[in-house]
Amino acid sequence: MLDYTASPSDQQLSIYASWNNWVDAEARRRLLAACFFLDGHAAIYQQQPQAGQSSVDSELTRPPIPLMGSSLRLWEASSAASWAKILAEDPSAGVPVFVPSPETITPDLVSRQMSIDRMIILVAEYLRIPCRQGLTAPSASARKSSMSEVDPQLHYMNSQFSPVQQESPCFQPGFLQAPHSRTRGSLDVETRLSSLFPGCPIANTYLALHHTPLRDLLAVSGESWLFTKKVLPAAEFSIHLRRLKAWAENHHYRQGGNTNVPTDMVDLSVVKATMYAARSIVQFLSPVSPGVSRYAPVECVVTEDRSSLWGKDISDYWALYVCALIFWAFGHKARSVPAIGSTITVATDVQHQQQQHHSAKRQRTGNNRASPTSRHGSSATADQHAMTWLRTLAADNVTEEDITRARGRRESMSVVSLVRRRLESDCIGGRNRLYVEAVGVLRRLEEDGERNDKPWF
């Protein structure tokens, strides 16, 4: 199926036949690249096993993943003649290019790629991080299937590549292999991703989820609903609740911490998850100037110009949603105001004054049905204050101690409100079940947080 040996310059074929052969092979390459990205992206965003992966720890053999940028002009050629002309001017355009080996990937190389190729490289880089054991549960059907039953194509995959192509570093042992076969201490992948993809909210969402027990977070925030399915029996929900509390309260970082924290959560950090989530939200909701790469560092300013924002893809809304849930969990047992000595109190006093002002106004007018937005002033003002707080948490020089001291209930809830308003404004039609459920969950969390001074879970 994946025959990469079709030569665009076969002299025994007519130009038209050569063009058709190349287009067929290129279409398969592009399909493979798109499937790799979509599968990896969904697996990361929802902490699900990848297709063909029978368990988190199973070996997953992949062919080299093609990139699309180098062949773009040939792909867009409208006729055999124009295709042949482009190939004559630049013979290298007909040579397939694959995801390079990790040692050769640099920020400059990434910045020169087209958008989809950047995303393919990002997924490939992230999949080199060792998986958190236990956070990704395979489906029942996956547990019952062998690797060959899941993907019977794999046993003859390498035969579809020429000997020259198989000499590529992409075919060498250790390249894009399963998590347990990677060198765990070879490099700091979190720092590497941040340097390779500066200003990229998707990369920061990946890293936030790397430190988050997503299934526990979704089940508890959704009141026992997980991916639109009920968590049963009740004992199973209790496990989700206990695990989320252990994570949100950061037990394993405390001196003499809780020995009952599950071993698969020992390396999870709610503080790091919050930092990456803050960066992701700021980058998603900040404008990008026309003609500037969406991966370049951006000015963190709230704007009403929706055309310049990241929210172009349905998964961007999912990223905003889970990042808002991280902030909700972060403020679960926080003080009403940040700890004394915190350097991150920019939004607190202003929001508190607005709360008091509007509370007094409601008492004078007898209006007991004021919306959550009115209690924080206008939505635009509330969003500005939330973004100010987020930008401080997202700063490059922020420390984990700074973030811990800045933990505040009102600030965390202001982020939930910010994201809820953004998602709600674009939730038109109500046909996407997960999207509608996400808006409903955020609205309920916002309302509960407004009237509940006790821990949220």
Side-chain angles (χ1 to χ4, degrees), residues 274-353:
T274 301
M275 178 187 69
Y276 290 125
R279 293 175 180 175
S280 177
I281 295 174
V282 166
Q283 291 158 358
F284 270 123
L285 299 184
S286 297
V288 180
S289 303
V292 177
S293 169
R294 300 205 316 167
Y295 298 86
V298 296
E299 294 297 327
C300 303
V301 180
V302 177
T303 177
E304 296 299 324
D305 181 10
R306 300 289 292 161
S307 63
S308 65
L309 301 179
W310 268 87
K312 308 289 187 180
D313 186 272
I314 189 64
S315 68
D316 292 348
Y317 296 105
W318 175 261
L320 282 169
Y321 173 56
V322 296
C323 286
L325 293 183
I326 289 172
F327 271 92
W328 169 74
F330 180 62
H332 143 69
K333 213 172 181 178
R335 299 177 176 87
S336 296
V337 295
I340 296 175
S342 170
T343 59
I344 309 178
T345 58
V346 179
T348 306
D349 293 337
V350 177
Q351 288 179 335
H352 185 50
Q353 292 170 7

Side-chain angles (χ1 to χ4, degrees), residues 208-275:
L209 290 174
H210 183 63
H211 286 282
T212 302
L214 180 61
R215 289 173 175 271
D216 303 317
L217 182 60
L218 292 174
V220 175
S221 63
E223 294 186 320
S224 77
W225 287 90
L226 176 60
F227 292 122
T228 71
K229 295 183 179 180
K230 187 73 172 176
V231 176
L232 293 172
E236 184 71 18
F237 177 74
S238 298
I239 294 174
H240 286 298
L241 181 59
R242 184 168 63 252
R243 287 167 54 90
L244 186 65
K245 283 184 176 180
W247 174 72
E249 295 171 13
N250 227 19
H251 278 312
H252 50 281
Y253 273 126
R254 298 178 182 175
Q255 186 71 23
N258 188 347
T259 58
N260 293 322
V261 174
T263 56
D264 61 331
M265 298 182 65
V266 170
D267 294 329
L268 299 186
S269 168
V270 67
V271 176
K272 286 187 176 181
T274 301
M275 178 187 69

